[in-house]
Amino acid sequence: MTPDSRNASKPLSVVLAGGGTAGHVSPLLAIADAIKDKRPDASILAVGTPSGMETRLIPAAGYELATIDRVPFPRRPSVDLIKLPARLLAAVSQAGRILKDADADVLVGVGGYVCTPMYLAARKLGIPVVIHEANMKAGLANRVGARFSKHVAVAFSGTRLRGARHVGMPMRRAISGLHRATAAPAAKEALGFDPDRPALIVTGGSSGAMSINRSIAAALPALAASGIQTLHITGNGKAVLNEQGGLLAAEGYRQVEYVDGMEYVYAAADVLLARAGAGTVSEVAAVGVPAVFVPLPIGNGEQALNAAPLVDAGGALLVDDKDLSPEWLERELIPLLSDHSRLVDMARKSEALGIRNADQRMADLVLEAVSA
């Protein structure tokens, strides 16, 4: 399909591919919403795998979801590596049928297993491809797709992809439109904080982080003695227990498995202690939250890379997972929470690097690709 062959009178058909984790699904949904804002007549179809978070999050957001088989790319010799060509060919065939049935004008990919076959199918059909890479270190699927796309965008300026434009991280409007100073009183009340005491919020993401949970639990006496109140978001199924098997409890401390609406967390926290996923780092910068990042110690080191620009600018601190301890928290975190002027300076430096309109930038890039 070429631009000249498309029927200009038909509604714009956009297929968005990505999934597996919230880090892929969240920007996909933000881009979809921004496209609908600019082109209310647009038809939106999301494509993921049958087992990812997209199966729940995308229908809940009101968008149709199609799925293709998950095709992992083994990095070592194995039976899966032998099966890869046939699996990939089958997935590309599935992707092609989805694109044809949708009469797609453009494919937007945000990374993940689903994207490689979708990119290959779109190229075969002559459908323009738009790519968004969330991490500082680009994933395999987007490295492949960028080879034949003229419309590549990245969340971090240091990400190395051919021809990439720095647009930032598409995020929910409730976060991108947040004004912390205005929202803080209501957010603190909603999360049960005393507005006159420093507020620490700890999260390891949707799946939790056992090392963070253990360190916070051990540091509770020091945190309480310093007058710090702590909301501990432990992660689903990751409740922190005491020696008797009950929920850990302490003065000024409360734990929950999740919070529905991270905008409340960002508004209420004087300091956020968290992993350094691309979405978290980008949202922290956009709204100006002083943060302490504890990068995930496994994988390819991408979380430390994600956090580096914000840490280098003075908007956040970074501590390796192996170095996070009650002693570190007492030595570094507790004094930070008591230093109002330093927190104000960190918030200012953080927000200076943030981008709030990445969803709109991506929607403009999609429309540019269609009209090219």
Side-chain angles (χ1 to χ4, degrees):
M1 186 186 298
T2 64
D4 291 338
S5 68
R6 297 186 191 107
N7 185 347
S9 64
K10 81 174 185 69
L12 175 66
S13 175
V14 182
V15 175
L16 298 104
T21 67
H24 287 135
V25 179
S26 293
L28 183 153
L29 291 174
I31 295 168
D33 288 346
I35 292 170
K36 290 293 285 185
D37 283 348
K38 292 179 180 292
R39 289 287 299 269
D41 66 324
S43 170
I44 302 287
L45 173 68
V47 183
T49 64
S51 58
M53 294 182 71
E54 59 269 27
T55 59
R56 176 174 57 86
L57 297 177
I58 287 174
Y63 292 107
E64 182 183 356
L65 174 69
T67 61
I68 64 174
D69 294 337
R70 181 178 180 271
V71 184
F73 284 72
R75 300 181 185 276
R76 298 176 182 175
S78 66
V79 174
D80 284 338
L81 185 60
I82 296 171
K83 294 179 179 179
L84 176 61
R87 287 176 171 173
L88 182 59
L89 187 62
V92 171
S93 178
Q94 290 178 315
R97 287 195 296 272
I98 289 171
L99 291 168
K100 288 179 181 178
D101 289 346
D103 196 12
D105 294 303
V106 61
L107 170 68
V108 184
V110 297
Y113 289 118
V114 69
C115 281
T116 300
M118 292 298 297
Y119 292 153
L120 294 174
R123 184 188 190 192
K124 184 177 180 180
L125 294 170
I127 296 170
V129 172
V130 178
I131 293 171
H132 183 272
E133 173 57 50
N135 286 295
M136 180 71 82
K137 189 172 184 178
L140 176 61
N142 282 349
R143 294 202 306 272
V144 170
R147 292 178 178 271
F148 47 84
S149 173
K150 297 179 180 179
H151 302 88
V152 179
V154 294
F156 298 101
S157 61
T159 300
R160 298 179 64 181
L161 276 178
R162 185 172 62 180
R165 311 181 199 184
H166 179 214
V167 304
M169 177 70 78
M171 60 190 70
R172 292 191 302 113
R173 302 286 173 80
I175 293 173
S176 63
L178 179 68
H179 186 268
R180 287 184 70 230
T182 302
K188 287 180 182 290
E189 181 178 0
L191 295 180
F193 284 122
D194 179 345
D196 298 321
R197 296 170 59 191
L200 169 67
I201 299 184
V202 180
T203 177
S206 59
S207 60
M210 292 301 295
S211 59
I212 292 177
N213 291 352
R214 286 193 298 266
S215 295
I216 288 295
L220 284 182
L223 289 167
S226 299
I228 293 167
Q229 51 193 335
T230 303
L231 175 63
H232 189 174
I233 307 171
T234 62
N236 295 324
K238 299 289 180 66
V240 182
L241 306 180
N242 58 29
E243 293 179 355
Q244 290 73 42
L247 283 179
L248 182 67
E251 195 280 323
Y253 171 84
R254 184 167 68 94
Q255 64 170 285
V256 296
E257 291 195 354
Y258 68 94
V259 169
D260 186 15
M262 283 299 290
E263 60 271 19
Y264 294 102
V265 170
Y266 295 144
D270 292 303
V271 172
L272 178 75
L273 190 150
R275 290 299 195 200
T280 300
V281 172
S282 298
E283 290 171 356
V284 160
V287 302
V289 185
V292 174
F293 292 121
V294 189
L296 193 69
I298 59 176
N300 60 10
E302 66 184 26
Q303 288 206 352
L305 294 173
N306 292 341
L310 197 54
V311 173
D312 291 344
L317 302 181
L318 185 144
V319 54
D320 289 339
D321 189 84
K322 63 180 176 57
D323 295 327
L324 183 68
S325 65
E327 293 77 19
W328 189 94
L329 294 170
E330 189 168 355
R331 183 177 67 250
E332 302 290 343
L333 180 61
I334 289 176
L336 174 63
L337 276 155
S338 304
D339 191 339
H340 177 72
S341 62
R342 187 181 177 194
L343 292 177
V344 169
D345 183 61
M346 288 178 68
R348 177 181 58 81
K349 290 175 177 175
S350 177
E351 197 167 4
L353 291 184
I355 297 174
R356 292 178 179 255
N357 65 342
D359 58 337
Q360 299 164 49
R361 294 183 182 187
M362 281 301 300
D364 288 339
L365 190 59
V366 171
L367 298 179
E368 176 187 310
V370 173
S371 63

